[in-house]
């Protein structure tokens, strides 16, 4: 059996692989500079460029954003990330520490419950005297 010693990869396959890598992109780390109910203002950790993540038309994502705060680190993966400044959940993927966000939500709900109990069942200290 004879093996071709001069095996070369066709240039069009190299180009297709390169375009595939660019099209899929990679996740870029960002710091949350401002967190609103309907969007985020992000700053890229490497370049310092600011980006806007708008989810004003995506209620499911708004339920996540409400628990993010300034200084949190998130990853943003999107086609055209290096050139774009404005992203939506439809054309990008935002990921963060969802365990920390769930902890914040649980802490808020527990505090809210304690407050409601205190308001509905106040201590009757003055009646005992």
């Amino acid at each position: 059996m004879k093996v071709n010693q001069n095996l070369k990869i066709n240039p069009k396959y190299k180009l297709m692989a390169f375009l595939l890598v660019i099209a899929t992109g990679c996740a870029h780390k960002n710091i949350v500079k401002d967190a609103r109910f309907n969007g985020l203002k992000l700053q890229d950790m490497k370049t310092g460029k600011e980006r806007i993540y708008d989810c004003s038309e995506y209620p499911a994502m708004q339920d996540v954003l409400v628990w993010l705060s300034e200084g949190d680190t998130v990853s943003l993966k999107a086609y055209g990330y290096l050139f774009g400044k404005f992203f939506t959940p439809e054309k990008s993927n935002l990921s963060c520490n969802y365990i920390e966000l769930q902890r914040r939500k649980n802490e808020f709900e527990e505090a809210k419950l304690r407050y409601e109990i205190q308001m509905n069942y106040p201590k009757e200290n003055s009646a005992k005297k």
Side-chain angles (χ1 to χ4, degrees):
M1 182 190 239
K2 187 174 181 179
V3 178
N4 187 356
Q5 298 295 330
N6 296 325
L7 183 64
K8 293 184 181 179
I9 297 175
N10 192 333
K12 70 178 179 182
Y13 294 125
K14 288 182 183 179
L15 178 63
M16 287 175 30
F18 176 72
L19 292 175
L20 181 64
V21 169
I22 289 178
T24 57
C26 57
H28 297 272
K29 297 284 184 182
N30 291 272
I31 297 174
V32 176
K33 288 295 178 185
D34 188 23
R36 307 272 174 160
F37 181 68
N38 59 356
L40 298 172
K41 184 177 181 183
L42 306 171
Q43 183 177 20
D44 189 285
M45 290 178 77
K46 285 186 180 179
T47 64
K49 290 184 179 179
E50 289 190 350
R51 290 175 171 78
I52 303 296
Y53 184 77
D54 179 42
C55 64
S56 55
E57 297 180 15
Y58 302 91
M61 198 62 196
Q62 291 174 356
D63 292 339
V64 173
L65 293 187
V66 72
W67 304 109
L68 284 170
S69 61
E70 187 176 330
D72 287 345
T73 303
V74 296
S75 295
L76 185 61
K77 183 177 181 180
Y79 175 73
Y81 175 84
L82 298 176
F83 307 109
K85 290 187 177 187
F86 185 81
F87 299 97
T88 62
E90 181 180 31
K91 303 209 184 232
S92 61
N93 183 15
L94 183 81
S95 61
C96 55
N97 186 348
Y98 290 104
I99 295 171
E100 173 64 18
L101 296 185
Q102 186 63 42
R103 185 197 63 77
R104 290 177 187 175
K105 181 179 178 182
N106 291 344
E107 187 177 282
F108 173 78
E109 289 173 351
E110 289 171 3
K112 182 180 172 186
L113 182 61
R114 279 193 301 272
Y115 175 77
E116 288 174 358
I117 289 172
Q118 289 174 353
M119 294 306 293
N120 291 332
Y121 305 102
K123 293 181 181 177
E124 299 283 337
N125 291 336
S126 60
K128 291 181 181 178
K129 290 182 180 181

